[in-house]
Amino acid sequence: MSFDTAYIFLAIIISTAAIIILIGTSRSIISRISIQPILIHRFCNFVALMTALSPLVYLAAPDHSFTVVSAQTFDSPQQILKSHPKVTHYKNKVMPVSQDTIPYKAIGIIALCLIFLWYFSRYLANARKIYRILNSSIELRSIGKVKVLISGSSDVPFAYRTFRKAYVVVPESLISNLSHLQLAIKHELQHHRQGDTIWSHIAYFIKSLFFWNPLVHLAHSRISEVQELACDEALIGRKGVNTHQYCYCLLTVAENALNSQRRLVGTTGMSMGSSAQQLKWRVEMMSRYDVKNKFKKFVIMGSLTTTIIASVALATSGVVYDRKVTLVEAHELAKSFKESKFPIEVNEAVLGQLNYYVGTPRGREFIKGAIGRRTQYLDMMNRIFARHDAPEELQAIALIESGFL
């Protein structure tokens, strides 16, 4: 699969996933059917998993055989370009082609790479800031594989994960209130348990690749909000955690966050980036804790998500693979093979046949079957060609004329 077709396909899948997440996390829907934050968080993770698996569904589509043409045991691609005159099928398939010589695709790919590098440089800059905070912090204790640090450089607690280590950083201002300190640590540890610290890295690179898509940015913002709600629900559902005390801790941390910098890339914070409206909604959601029927709702939403994403993956398979070769590309392909004894002529008639064989499901299926049968006659044809000093490109006649049937 080429870079541009893969990018288009992933953009369609991720946009679909973003729409599903935005609908599934709609506040009005949550208020009406009482879906709880942990359920929504699992639903978002399920959508992310289906998004990752959807290319596999796409590649398993029945009409997936385009790559067979580009990875054949043919000696040279001109065997495909050299269409036989007796082939009269699909003459009306000749498509209008563009003679533009401006490399729009190359310019687009270069621009995309440059913007992605700019995002990546920001990621590295944020990583340096985080490492400075970690190096200047004092280790309080270790909880499993997670190190809890006390920092004088951060005003808000946050969680961060590298490839090997996981951290919880709490500001030294919370030391004076032991209850708030414990609740903040529990909240950030819950982010690690939910996998939010891993998702924060992945989400940033998704936003970098699809920076032009507002749905991706909106979905990321909504997922971050749901992650905080899921942590809130997990904590208030435990014994020994008072809801009112937890809400007071949340507001205290949010007040300290007013003077803090923006959330660093790759971190999850108890209230970093939270607006007054978001804090109000979090407090309201904590007062409406209900676990009834949430498994049934999750199954229904998960089934719907699976159906939608799988349908989009299969529906877009023809769109991505049924790509027409332009006349300019065909000429460039012909020029790249100079050892052939036959002159390679490329015109609109040849281009029409080429696009039929590589750009339609029926044509690709024909080529795939013909190549599979070709191996039965390969030795015999080579002996005959060698006896008469004939070029091996003549194999293309049998391929196009009969498909080696």
Side-chain angles (χ1 to χ4, degrees), residues 123-141 145-171 188 192 197 201 261 264-268 272:
Y123 178 83
L124 295 179
N126 275 271
R128 290 184 60 186
K129 293 179 183 179
I130 293 172
Y131 278 112
R132 283 200 295 266
I133 294 175
L134 296 178
N135 291 332
S136 62
S137 301
I138 301 173
E139 183 174 346
L140 179 63
R141 58 177 299 188
K145 297 181 179 180
V146 182
K147 291 185 177 181
V148 181
L149 307 177
I150 301 295
S151 173
S153 305
S154 177
D155 297 324
V156 291
F158 66 87
Y160 182 72
R161 180 183 291 275
T162 62
F163 289 107
R164 297 181 178 179
K165 299 179 181 179
Y167 301 92
V168 168
V169 179
V170 290
E188 302 306 331
H192 283 298
T197 48
H201 294 283
Q261 57 185 336
L264 296 173
V265 173
T267 64
T268 56
M272 281 195 298

Side-chain angles (χ1 to χ4, degrees), residues 78-98:
Q78 66 264 32
Q79 296 173 6
I80 305 295
L81 287 171
K82 191 67 177 179
S83 300
H84 196 268
K86 291 185 179 181
V87 177
T88 57
H89 309 305
Y90 296 91
K91 283 188 174 181
N92 296 327
K93 289 291 183 178
V94 178
M95 303 295 293
V97 295
S98 173

